[in-house]
């Protein structure tokens, strides 16, 4: 099944997928030079149970209005043609606000109980791609092309801001096979995510990595657990593996693994901050609440490759940059910006990365040993300090 989207608007799926094959066949009609959204809505309303809904091959549909597809049971969607969506970001935002209230645009919310997405292509999205908030979802062979024709990784001109591939907040979700040129996270794990596997992927252009968060905004109690990222190539990314929670957050992120990562021109391979804030609004605020989103059992294993000459990218449009931390440069393989005593079970193993056109011995880290939990250095796997990367024995 070939699924091809171009640009972006917001679709909401709410469905239960049963085991038996659909028995009803429905074809979506198309009207040239007109908005097909009303016709699409009519078909999804009429064929919401035990149906195959087909977008015809060779037809370029116009989905110019936001849509909600609710109460789908045992429905298969075959997008053999293409869906063209609005490209003007201002117009898209206005339509989203008018339909759903003020919200950041994204193309699809996939809130289903047992569902699959296969061979979906998203070409030149203007904002977030797909949010997975349901249960028992499998995604295979996903493709995203947000790379601008008139820009580069290090220039804000034409940069595809906020073009995440997936935001995942559901349970029992597998993403197997991803090829993307993104201007933001390829996969972002958000509050509520549990038992997620994202494997066998390529993250290109200027991705902001395979990320947990952001969590804990405005003191939110965020819960994320049992997440595995495995077998990824990160090419030109700002981050490889990233965790971010806001200053003064609450909750717990536990049992997270990034494993078998090939890093090509990556600015910072491993990054954790429990003190995230918006640099565009001024200096880091005081953590008056004295709280943090706790982290437990984060494992980073088998990282290889080399760093980018630049520690940031075209999204650096503020002063300081949104990803600036004191001491950052183009030699940092690991940056741990921890909140005192709230990070346990951190482990870094088999990391072999070097700065661009330099030696492995030139690789450095940022890590304040005073922020480690008691005994954490014994199992960390590298020397926590602001200095060269030094691998250490992991105590059993």
């Amino acid at each position: 099944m070939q699924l091809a989207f171009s640009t972006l608007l917001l679709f909401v799926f709410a469905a239960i997928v049963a085991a038996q094959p659909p028995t009803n066949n429905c074809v979506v009609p198309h009207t040239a030079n007109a908005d097909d959204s009303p016709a699409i809505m009519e078909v999804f309303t009429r064929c919401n149970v035990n149906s195959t809904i087909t977008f015809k091959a060779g037809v370029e549909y116009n989905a110019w209005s936001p849509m909600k597809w609710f109460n789908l049971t045992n429905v298969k969607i075959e997008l053999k043609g293409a869906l063209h969506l609005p490209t003007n970001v201002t117009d898209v935002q206005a339509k989203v606000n008018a339909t759903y209230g003020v919200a950041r645009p994204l193309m699809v919310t996939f809130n289903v109980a047992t569902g699959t997405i296969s061979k979906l292509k998203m070409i030149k999205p203007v904002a977030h791609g797909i949010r997975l908030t349901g249960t028992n979802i499998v995604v295979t062979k996903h493709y995203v092309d947000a790379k601008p024709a008139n820009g580069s990784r290090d220039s804000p001109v034409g940069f595809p801001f906020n073009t995440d591939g997936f935001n995942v907040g559901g349970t029992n979700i597998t993403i197997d096979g991803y090829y993307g040129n993104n201007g933001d996270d390829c996969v972002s794990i958000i509050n509520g995510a549990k038992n997620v596997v994202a494997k066998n992927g390529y993250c290109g252009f200027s991705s902001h990595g395979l990320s947990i968060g952001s969590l804990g905004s405005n003191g939110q109690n965020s819960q994320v657990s049992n997440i595995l990222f495995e077998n990824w190539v990160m090419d030109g990314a700002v981050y490889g593996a990233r965790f971010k929670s806001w200053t003064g957050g609450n909750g717990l992120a536990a049992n997270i693994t990034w494993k078998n990562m090939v890093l090509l021109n990556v600015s910072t391979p491993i990054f954790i901050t429990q003190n995230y804030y918006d640099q565009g609004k001024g200096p880091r605020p005081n953590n008056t609440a004295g709280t943090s989103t706790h982290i437990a059992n984060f494992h980073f294993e088998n990282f290889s490759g080399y760093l980018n000459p630049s520690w940031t990218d075209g999204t650096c449009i503020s002063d300081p940059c949104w990803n600036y931390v004191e001491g950052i440069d183009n030699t940092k393989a690991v940056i741990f910006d921890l909140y005192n005593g709230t990070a346990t079970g951190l482990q870094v193993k088999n990391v072999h990365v070097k700065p661009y056109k330099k030696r492995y011995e030139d690789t450095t880290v940022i890590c304040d040993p005073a922020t480690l939990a008691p005994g954490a250095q014994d199992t960390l796997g590298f020397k926590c300090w602001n200095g060269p990367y030094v691998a250490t024995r992991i105590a059993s």
Side-chain angles (χ1 to χ4, degrees), residues 263 302-306 349-354 360 363 389 391:
L263 310 164
N302 301 335
F303 282 56
S304 64
Y306 58 95
K349 184 178 181 181
N350 296 333
V351 171
H352 301 285
V353 298
K354 62 180 180 179
Y360 288 102
T363 304
Y389 176 81

Side-chain angles (χ1 to χ4, degrees), residues 246-248 275-279 281-288:
W246 288 82
T247 296
N275 305 292
Y276 186 66
Y277 69 103
D278 187 347
Q279 282 93 331
K281 295 182 178 179
R284 175 179 288 179
N286 293 326
N287 189 345
T288 56

